[in-house]
Every structure is written in structure tokens, then in C-alpha cells.
Amino acid sequence: MAFIEIILGIVILLLVTSCYVIWNLTNKQEMLEDWISNFMETIEKIDFDLNQVDYLGAFEADDETGVIFKEIKKTLKQLNDFKGEEQ
């Protein structure tokens, strides 16, 4: 009879431990999803702001400024590609 009680105790301990692990991983996943969502919103805001700054194409057409501006746009496009959305 004591053997069954020991096995039952171990099973209950494993159940409680697995419930804690599942709860902990769920919380971490939700935090990561929130971070990704905020990151994507930031990328979209930066893209919008950058397009507003250069709505006439003046920065992109300038030789010195245009090179830097094109690199910024290239980096922003890479971030957009990374998040899985097309321009």
C-alpha cells in the first residue's frame, strides 16, 4: 500500500511541475508576441515617417544625402522582409 502512495505522490508532483512549466512558457510566449507586435508597429511608423520626410523625393535625389537615405530605405525594406510583409 505504501508503494502506491509513493507512486501517487510522485505523479502528483510531476503534474504540479508540468502545470507550472506550461504556465511559465505560456507567459513567456505572450510577452514575446507583445514584443514582436510592438516591434512591427515601430517599423511601420518609421517607414511612414521616412516617407513623409521625403514625400517630394528630394533626399533620395541628392547625391550625398541620397546614398544614406537609400541605405536607410534598404535597411527598412530588410526589416519589412524579415517580418514577412511585402511593401
Side-chain angles (χ1 to χ4, degrees):
M1 192 65 152
F3 182 71
I4 293 176
E5 291 173 354
I6 292 172
I7 297 295
L8 183 62
I10 291 172
V11 168
I12 290 174
L13 182 64
L14 289 174
L15 177 67
V16 169
T17 303
S18 64
C19 287
Y20 171 75
V21 168
I22 291 170
W23 173 79
N24 190 24
L25 289 174
T26 302
N27 283 341
K28 288 179 181 181
Q29 179 183 356
E30 288 174 358
M31 286 181 3
L32 184 60
E33 287 173 352
D34 291 342
W35 183 85
I36 290 171
S37 176
N38 290 337
F39 184 73
M40 290 174 62
E41 289 174 6
T42 302
I43 291 173
E44 290 170 2
K45 183 181 181 319
I46 290 171
D47 187 34
F48 178 77
D49 291 345
L50 196 56
N51 288 331
Q52 289 295 322
V53 166
D54 193 39
Y55 70 96
L56 293 177
F59 286 121
E60 196 167 4
D62 187 26
D63 286 340
E64 292 179 17
T65 310
V67 172
I68 296 170
F69 189 79
K70 287 178 185 175
E71 287 298 317
I72 292 171
K73 294 280 279 186
K74 178 181 164 188
T75 303
L76 192 56
K77 184 184 180 318
Q78 289 173 340
L79 286 172
N80 280 330
D81 291 344
F82 180 72
K83 70 178 185 175
E85 293 182 6
E86 296 280 331
Q87 282 280 45

